[in-house]
Amino acid sequence: MKAAIIGAGTVGRSIGEGIKNDFEVSFSSGSFEKLEKWSKGEFKVFDNNVENAKYGDVILLAIKPGISDSVMEEIRSAAKGKLVISFMAGITLSHMQEMLKDSMVARGMPSIPMLVQKSVTAYSYKNLDKEHKDVLEKVLKGFGSAVHIDESYMDAVTGLSGSGPAFVAIMADSMINAGILAGIPKIQARELVIDTFINTMSLMREKGLSASDLRDEVMTPGGTTVAGIYEMEKANARTAIANAVLGSYRRAKEISKNSRD
């Protein structure tokens, strides 16, 4: 099956790398010369979006929301009867359907770990039969895990798992710096923090623990962990993290609203 990716930025390239073993992948983007140089013959490349859309059995839009209407209008005829998957923030399924008329539409919100095929991608769709649902899931699972959600939650997902890696990175950076301040060499502090994040989340998943259950497992009366948590509570760390997610969510809602106006 052929997958035509329109857009060759970070998202588009990561998708292509993730699905290349299961699909014949093609690309088109704003600069054919740069695209050809990057591809090095590994992917089929087109110098225009229409020919790329004609080539693909499924079309993936990895472009900026600001040019979405012009691209969807451009490929409308070529996309007729095909599944079109959007990876654009704020562009609703209804708007895609309005622009693409006779196409089947879906949208996904990936996260930056897609660079190493470890994204968690929330997705929604409209009126897909089983065959096309299977194609959609096969695409999404090529670069990580996939979670089906109602589209009404997509802006919240953007704030949570879409922006979430940046919030996790800030927490990790703070812990690394604290380790260095406490005398641990930087390289070892970095490794300790990275593995602490990865292994803690693995424990939660594999044992089915809630976050509060895991915290209670570590925390003992009068111990070191409760002393650290006390400092976090004094600094309102929970509120700051929650507000970061909610701030991203509100911004995503603004983008969605502007795309409909």
Side-chain angles (χ1 to χ4, degrees):
M1 178 170 273
K2 303 184 186 79
I5 302 174
I6 297 177
T10 299
V11 172
R13 293 184 185 189
S14 298
I15 293 170
E17 290 290 344
I19 67 174
K20 65 184 180 183
N21 292 330
D22 295 313
F23 293 85
E24 294 178 44
V25 180
S26 62
F27 279 95
S28 57
S29 72
S31 174
F32 178 71
E33 290 75 17
K34 287 182 180 178
L35 184 59
E36 198 171 33
K37 185 177 180 180
W38 165 76
S39 175
K40 296 179 181 177
E42 185 176 7
F43 301 105
K44 190 174 183 66
V45 295
F46 290 92
D47 62 3
N48 69 84
N49 295 328
V50 174
E51 290 304 312
N52 191 20
K54 286 179 180 178
Y55 176 82
D57 301 305
V58 55
I59 301 166
L60 283 55
L61 300 179
I63 54 178
K64 295 184 184 300
I67 63 170
S68 61
D69 280 8
S70 61
V71 171
M72 287 191 286
E73 186 174 358
E74 180 186 14
I75 68 169
R76 182 184 296 155
S77 295
K80 185 175 181 180
K82 298 180 180 181
L83 172 61
V84 181
I85 307 171
S86 162
F87 295 93
M88 302 177 288
I91 306 302
T92 64
L93 292 172
S94 294
H95 187 68
M96 289 179 67
Q97 198 74 78
E98 181 183 349
M99 292 298 300
L100 293 168
K101 305 297 183 188
D102 300 314
S103 298
M104 292 160 284
V105 296
R107 60 183 293 206
M109 174 50 61
S111 57
I112 196 64
M114 71 188 306
L115 289 169
V116 289
Q117 285 76 59
K118 295 290 185 180
S119 172
V120 54
T121 303
Y123 68 98
S124 303
Y125 55 79
K126 267 198 171 184
N127 305 322
L128 296 190
D129 57 27
K130 185 181 185 306
E131 178 186 353
H132 288 94
K133 286 179 191 175
D134 289 345
V135 172
L136 172 61
E137 290 183 2
K138 189 174 184 180
V139 168
L140 299 179
K141 289 178 180 179
F143 49 91
S145 60
V147 178
H148 178 239
I149 64 163
D150 187 278
E151 190 187 17
S152 62
Y153 303 131
M154 193 63 82
D155 291 334
V157 166
T158 302
L160 187 62
S161 59
S163 300
F167 309 147
V168 172
I170 289 173
M171 287 186 277
D173 190 46
S174 299
M175 290 175 66
I176 291 167
N177 288 338
I180 295 169
L181 187 61
I184 302 171
K186 182 177 182 179
I187 293 174
Q188 284 88 344
R190 181 178 182 274
E191 288 304 309
L192 286 165
V193 170
I194 288 173
D195 281 347
T196 296
F197 272 79
I198 292 171
N199 297 340
T200 301
M201 295 303 101
S202 295
L203 175 60
M204 284 181 66
R205 169 168 282 172
E206 291 174 24
K207 294 293 186 180
L209 295 174
S210 69
S212 58
D213 286 340
L214 192 149
R215 176 204 62 201
D216 291 345
E217 286 288 332
V218 182
M219 191 169 61
T220 56
T224 58
T225 303
V226 72
I229 290 174
Y230 175 71
E231 295 296 331
M232 293 181 75
E233 299 292 7
K234 272 202 307 184
N236 290 321
R238 290 172 183 266
T239 302
I241 294 166
N243 283 341
V245 173
L246 293 173
S248 294
Y249 162 56
R250 287 190 290 269
R251 179 57 184 145
K253 284 188 73 172
E254 289 175 7
I255 294 171
S256 293
K257 183 178 183 298
N258 292 339
S259 77
R260 295 192 295 268
D261 291 345

